[in-house]
Amino acid sequence: MVPSTESTGKDWGKVDLPTSRNEIVYDGNYYDVTDFITRHPGGKKIIGYFTNSGEDATSAIQQFHARSFNKVQGMMKSLKSRPVTESPDEPFDKATREKNKALTEDFTKLYMELKAEGFFDPSYTHITYRIVELILITVLGLHLVTQYSSLLAKSVGVFALAMGQGRALWVMHEGGHYSLTGNVKIDKMIQVYVSGIWLGWSGIFWRRSHSLHHAMANRLKRDVDMETAPFYLSNIKVLNDPVKENNFLLRNQVELSPFMVILAEFFVVVGVSVAALLKYRVGEEFLALGLHFVAAYYIGFWPWVFSHWILIVYFYVNLILPHTHLPVTDQPTHWVEHGLVHTCDVEQRPWCDWWMGYLNYQIEHHLFPTMPQFKNKLIVDRVKALAEKHGLPYQVYSYKEAAVMAFRNVCDVANQLRALSKSKTLKNE
């Protein structure tokens, strides 16, 4: 088997059109996906990630396509296949392959049990609560910002708008995973409109890029959430050349973070979203993003700016807690093992469930991305038992512990870059 072409440099995760046959491992067989890569609805990058010899995609395919699994099974049957056999280019020895096989079997068994018990069924009561909540908070913010002249009222209104956007972010996130209604078309529609109207983000772009994060969280040259320079850097290993790419912004990312987050937000709202509109040309996105900027004009420029600033601080503070302080890797491993090693849960309590939009159960979410997220807390003990059985970590930290570790990590990266800069200066002298 010949794996897909891998690139180096800044084209991280690039999957070029293959010049030879490309295969993925699924359910004990190699499947030839050479002619399917460019037709994959989720984009060619994510399927290209699994065309490395021996890197089993069984669990990932199972979970990413849980809402359309029968269709995926039919598609897989249409591809040329051959049994997995030992070969010199296998990255795993026989013992590791047997261990991975046992993990796949136990994970699939757990998934089938959870599915049979209704854990993947939607709750329309919960969906209604989530949407009504974000609308009411937003309406309160709009009323205070536009109907009152006092600075206090407008300030409270701006904060309410930001919290409305925050609640919208969590709803948008679930829609992008098809874990709201369970109907892919309806969830996509909800995600596009909520993302566009409340956040000013391209829902389609977010959905595709976020899938790359879920495919291989904290995997170098794979996880898009790690590619945040020059706004922020969570690990120096992300840089292709830490000496050449070292810059003032990253060396001082702690002190400059209040300013860099809003620049990052405007980059997403203006740059990324406009580029996505031009690329995908989806009418619903034009309408949703258009309504966002109509609302921005209605509330005024500065309330719009400050609400986005509060939103992005809220978002990034919670975003960095489950991953950034954990190890990174460039090595292949079992998808379930990868999710357990490079992800942690945060403060498994009701107040944090609300504050983090249920993403404090990040381990469960990464293993079962299409499960309605408010149900993640109900399967904690079973996931923990799976990890324990296979000698894998199950990491849980309090909100304070996770925040301290994440902050220290940011400081450590900045200090490493400063040390490199100082060393370079001394060398040049």
Side-chain angles (χ1 to χ4, degrees):
M1 189 200 85
V2 181
S4 65
T5 303
E6 292 214 18
S7 64
T8 57
K10 293 186 178 180
D11 292 328
W12 68 272
K14 182 178 179 183
V15 179
D16 297 320
L17 293 178
T19 56
S20 55
R21 310 315 292 176
N22 283 251
E23 298 174 306
I24 60 171
V25 176
Y26 174 75
D27 199 22
N29 291 288
Y30 282 120
Y31 285 84
D32 188 334
V33 295
T34 307
D35 300 324
F36 178 70
I37 287 178
T38 56
R39 295 184 287 112
H40 182 234
K44 65 181 182 180
K45 284 184 180 179
I46 191 168
I47 197 170
Y49 284 5
F50 288 96
T51 55
N52 292 312
S53 174
E55 192 151 10
D56 197 333
T58 303
S59 298
I61 291 174
Q62 177 193 79
Q63 293 307 312
F64 288 157
H65 301 287
R67 300 296 182 184
S68 53
F69 196 64
N70 291 335
K71 182 178 179 180
V72 172
Q73 288 281 68
M75 183 276 296
M76 295 298 289
K77 290 178 181 178
S78 71
L79 301 175
K80 293 180 180 179
S81 64
R82 63 184 178 87
V84 172
T85 56
E86 288 194 43
S87 64
D89 61 349
E90 290 282 359
F92 305 122
D93 58 28
K94 184 176 181 180
T96 302
R97 289 197 301 274
E98 290 299 318
K99 181 192 74 171
N100 289 347
K101 180 181 178 182
L103 180 56
T104 297
E105 290 174 351
D106 284 346
F107 178 73
T108 300
K109 179 182 177 183
L110 174 60
Y111 166 61
M112 298 306 293
E113 290 173 354
L114 295 174
K115 186 176 179 182
E117 293 169 28
F119 281 94
F120 288 82
D121 297 341
S123 167
Y124 295 106
T125 301
H126 183 77
I127 296 168
T128 302
Y129 151 68
R130 298 282 293 277
I131 294 177
V132 169
E133 177 194 43
L134 72 88
I135 290 174
L136 290 178
I137 295 174
T138 303
V139 169
L140 173 63
L142 288 171
H143 179 71
L144 291 173
V145 167
T146 60
Q147 301 301 314
Y148 289 84
S149 58
S150 76
L151 180 59
L152 177 60
K154 286 186 176 293
S155 298
V156 174
V158 166
F159 183 79
L161 285 175
M163 287 297 99
Q165 290 175 294
R167 308 319 294 167
L169 190 154
W170 306 136
V171 170
M172 176 278 293
H173 175 266
E174 287 226 37
H177 280 293
Y178 317 137
S179 59
L180 281 173
T181 68
N183 182 301
V184 173
K185 290 184 178 179
I186 293 175
D187 281 357
K188 279 184 178 180
M189 181 185 69
I190 293 173
Q191 192 245 354
V192 165
Y193 279 108
V194 171
S195 179
I197 295 172
W198 267 267
L199 307 175
W201 298 358
S202 164
I204 297 175
F205 174 84
W206 181 91
R207 192 165 61 240
R208 290 198 169 196
S209 63
H210 191 63
S211 294
L212 303 179
H213 163 68
H214 268 265
M216 296 179 178
N218 279 23
R219 179 86 167 262
L220 295 170
K221 309 303 177 190
R222 292 292 185 265
D223 184 358
V224 65
D225 282 7
M226 297 175 66
E227 301 290 332
T228 50
F231 304 109
Y232 163 76
L233 187 66
S234 62
N235 195 296
I236 198 169
K237 294 179 181 178
V238 174
L239 301 178
N240 295 311
D241 189 332
V243 175
K244 289 184 179 180
E245 296 177 62
N246 193 344
N247 61 57
F248 175 82
L249 296 178
L250 295 178
R251 289 194 299 273
N252 297 279
Q253 63 178 350
V254 178
E255 296 83 356
L256 295 176
S257 58
F259 309 102
M260 296 308 295
V261 290
I262 192 63
L263 289 178
E265 170 69 352
F266 288 152
F267 173 74
V268 171
V269 171
V270 179
V272 172
S273 293
V274 170
L277 281 179
L278 296 176
K279 180 178 181 179
Y280 300 118
R281 300 175 184 271
V282 176
E284 291 87 348
E285 286 230 310
F286 276 97
L287 177 59
L289 289 166
L291 289 173
H292 176 82
F293 288 104
V294 168
Y297 177 80
Y298 176 67
I299 67 173
F301 178 74
W302 288 114
W304 178 75
V305 169
F306 281 111
S307 70
H308 271 273
W309 182 78
I310 297 170
L311 162 69
I312 205 64
V313 170
Y314 168 66
F315 174 50
Y316 271 107
V317 165
N318 288 301
L319 175 70
I320 66 176
L321 302 186
H323 293 293
T324 58
H325 53 87
L326 297 176
V328 300
T329 184
D330 60 0
Q331 297 300 308
T333 188
H334 193 285
W335 186 76
V336 175
E337 179 177 352
H338 190 92
L340 287 162
V341 171
H342 299 285
T343 308
C344 71
D345 278 11
V346 179
E347 196 77 47
Q348 297 171 332
R349 297 185 180 183
W351 73 265
C352 199
D353 297 356
W354 183 88
W355 178 248
M356 292 185 67
Y358 302 100
L359 290 181
N360 48 329
Y361 300 96
Q362 192 75 194
I363 295 172
E364 291 73 20
H365 171 58
H366 266 257
L367 296 181
F368 304 106
T370 62
M371 178 183 290
Q373 289 165 20
F374 76 99
K375 295 184 179 182
N376 289 162
K377 61 184 177 182
L378 304 176
I379 66 169
V380 163
D381 290 340
R382 295 163 81 167
V383 172
K384 193 181 298 183
L386 175 72
E388 184 177 346
K389 179 179 179 180
H390 291 270
L392 297 171
Y394 182 90
Q395 306 170 87
V396 185
Y397 300 103
S398 71
Y399 195 90
K400 179 181 177 181
E401 288 172 335
V404 169
M405 287 188 292
F407 179 72
R408 283 178 178 169
N409 178 68
V410 174
C411 294
D412 289 344
V413 171
N415 288 334
Q416 290 172 34
L417 293 172
R418 286 171 180 167
L420 278 175
S421 180
K422 184 177 180 180
S423 174
K424 182 180 179 182
T425 301
L426 292 173
K427 185 177 180 180
N428 291 336
E429 292 176 353

